[in-house]
Amino acid sequence: MTVAWTLQRKITTGTLLILLAALILSGALILDKQRHQLLGDLTRQTERLTALVAEFSVQPLEKYTYFILEEVALSVEQFPQVAFCEIYDTSGNSLINIKATIHGKDVIKKQRRTGDNILIASRAITSDTGAPLGEVEIGIFTDTAMAQLRMDA
């Protein structure tokens, strides 16, 4: 009787260990897939925002109305997730001043920076004829997305 009981106990323990290992592995795979999906969504949103700013920047660049570009870049930077927004000319020089006034308020431009927690997207600004006019570069903080992943884990 004790031999059958220990054999049953061994089989049950082995089965439980196999199930536990399978659950841990599937949980790790699900979290990894969720992380890639979240970062992919963040990348697509950043690229869409960059494309929107680049498309809007064509006419002000062609007409040399840089104050409009400053207002657009500084408005984009008002979102807490945005690390920086830069608009460059064809020589690579920034067209955005450090300090500007938007809707009667003094706004200081965020400095360009890089790091593990910043996702950077860039887009060339081209005229309707295809001539290069400059480039838009936007950095987005990934801290919020990573914190969301840690909460889900």
Side-chain angles (χ1 to χ4, degrees):
M1 185 82 170
T2 59
V3 172
W5 185 79
T6 57
L7 183 61
Q8 181 183 8
R9 190 172 189 185
K10 289 179 182 177
I11 291 173
T12 303
T13 304
T15 304
L16 287 175
L17 287 175
I18 291 171
L19 284 173
L20 181 64
L23 285 174
I24 290 173
L25 181 64
S26 65
L29 290 174
I30 288 170
L31 284 175
D32 188 56
K33 180 180 177 184
Q34 189 179 26
R35 182 178 69 83
H36 285 295
Q37 189 175 25
L38 191 59
L39 287 176
D41 289 345
L42 190 60
T43 301
R44 283 188 291 281
Q45 287 178 344
T46 306
E47 288 172 354
R48 282 196 298 260
L49 180 61
T50 305
L52 181 67
V53 173
E55 185 178 327
F56 181 81
S57 300
V58 171
Q59 190 174 12
L61 278 171
E62 288 177 335
K63 295 185 178 190
Y64 301 102
T65 52
Y66 298 137
F67 69 93
I68 294 175
L69 295 176
E70 289 176 355
E71 191 168 328
V72 169
L74 292 171
S75 295
V76 168
E77 287 183 351
Q78 296 307 303
F79 293 103
Q81 304 90 340
V82 176
F84 66 89
C85 178
E86 286 285 351
I87 301 175
Y88 301 105
D89 62 9
T90 53
S91 303
N93 300 318
S94 179
L95 298 173
I96 311 303
N97 286 328
I98 300 297
K99 190 174 181 182
T101 302
I102 297 179
H103 303 296
K105 294 181 182 177
D106 286 339
V107 179
I108 296 175
K109 184 189 171 325
K110 296 179 182 177
Q111 295 297 317
R112 185 191 188 284
R113 52 188 162 164
T114 59
D116 292 338
N117 66 333
I118 297 176
L119 174 69
I120 299 174
S122 62
R123 171 77 70 135
I125 304 170
T126 55
S127 67
D128 295 336
T129 60
L133 299 173
E135 181 181 24
V136 173
E137 192 175 58
I138 296 177
I140 301 288
F141 290 114
T142 59
D143 296 337
T144 307
M146 293 304 167
Q148 181 66 34
L149 285 174
R150 280 191 292 275
M151 284 179 36
D152 292 346

